[in-house]
Amino acid sequence: MAEKLFIAKEVSKEAKYKSLIPQIEALITGETDLIANLANIAAALKFGMDFFWVGFYVVRKDELVLGPFQGPIACTRIQKGRGVCGTVWETAKELIVPNVDVFPGHIACSSDSKSEIVLPVMKNDDVALILDVDSDQLDDFDQVDSIYLKKLMNTLEQML
């Protein structure tokens, strides 16, 4: 297992993802423990992309429960349809929110969070868990983030 990630700091966002995603895939390949993999993915994304907050919420019966994350403390439980994460769980569709303060029903776990991208991870056609990435900058996420984070979530889906 690698002990360090190698990410150039002064390159484009896409170049960072192109370097980081294969390293994350190598890191989780062969590891069967979901929590260990989620923890390493969160840490690698936080470090490699310098995100404000990165974490997972796991579907447990009728709510999302906080899983491994990196960043400030977070909301522990989220109901289906509530906030960005609950909406992604309900719709099973990715959301990019340029300004969380104008998202109806946004749950402010941290007032420093300004924009967000949230992606579902599917198992047997149901949402099994959610990847939530926050930025302390407005409008910080775009299709580049979507493309590469979806690729990573597809890898994770194959492991579930």
Side-chain angles (χ1 to χ4, degrees):
M1 181 177 99
E3 292 182 13
K4 286 189 174 190
L5 296 174
F6 298 97
I7 308 295
K9 294 295 181 187
E10 301 302 320
V11 297
S12 71
K13 181 192 303 190
E14 185 168 23
K16 285 183 184 180
Y17 276 120
K18 283 182 176 181
S19 174
L20 181 61
I21 298 300
Q23 292 180 74
I24 294 173
E25 290 172 341
L27 183 64
I28 64 176
T29 297
E31 176 54 63
T32 59
D33 187 89
L34 178 63
I35 299 301
N37 284 333
L38 297 180
N40 271 330
I41 291 169
L45 286 172
K46 172 86 166 100
F47 171 78
M49 299 303 293
D50 196 29
F51 291 132
F52 174 70
W53 193 93
V54 179
F56 291 92
Y57 284 93
V58 181
V59 175
R60 297 278 187 248
K61 297 182 184 175
D62 60 348
E63 60 190 355
L64 292 172
V65 178
L66 181 64
F69 73 94
Q70 295 281 311
I73 60 172
C75 301
T76 305
R77 296 176 186 273
I78 299 173
Q79 301 303 310
K80 189 177 247 183
R82 188 155 178 259
V84 181
C85 291
T87 300
V88 168
W89 178 22
E90 185 174 61
T91 63
K93 295 189 184 324
E94 167 196 338
L95 270 177
I96 295 175
V97 181
N99 181 348
V100 297
D101 290 331
V102 298
F103 187 87
H106 176 253
I107 303 167
C109 298
S110 170
S111 60
D112 292 330
S113 179
K114 302 296 182 210
S115 60
E116 192 168 1
I117 183 170
V118 180
L119 298 97
V121 178
M122 308 299 289
K123 180 178 181 181
N124 301 325
D125 296 325
D126 291 321
V127 176
L129 52 102
I130 299 287
L131 170 66
D132 181 13
V133 183
D134 290 25
S135 172
D136 58 1
Q137 304 297 312
L138 290 170
D139 201 18
D140 207 20
F141 301 104
D142 56 27
Q143 287 307 304
V144 171
D145 299 289
S146 176
I147 290 165
Y148 289 97
L149 292 174
K150 277 181 188 173
K151 180 179 180 349
L152 184 57
M153 294 307 95
N154 287 337
T155 300
L156 189 54
E157 285 176 0
Q158 294 171 16
M159 301 176 90
L160 294 180

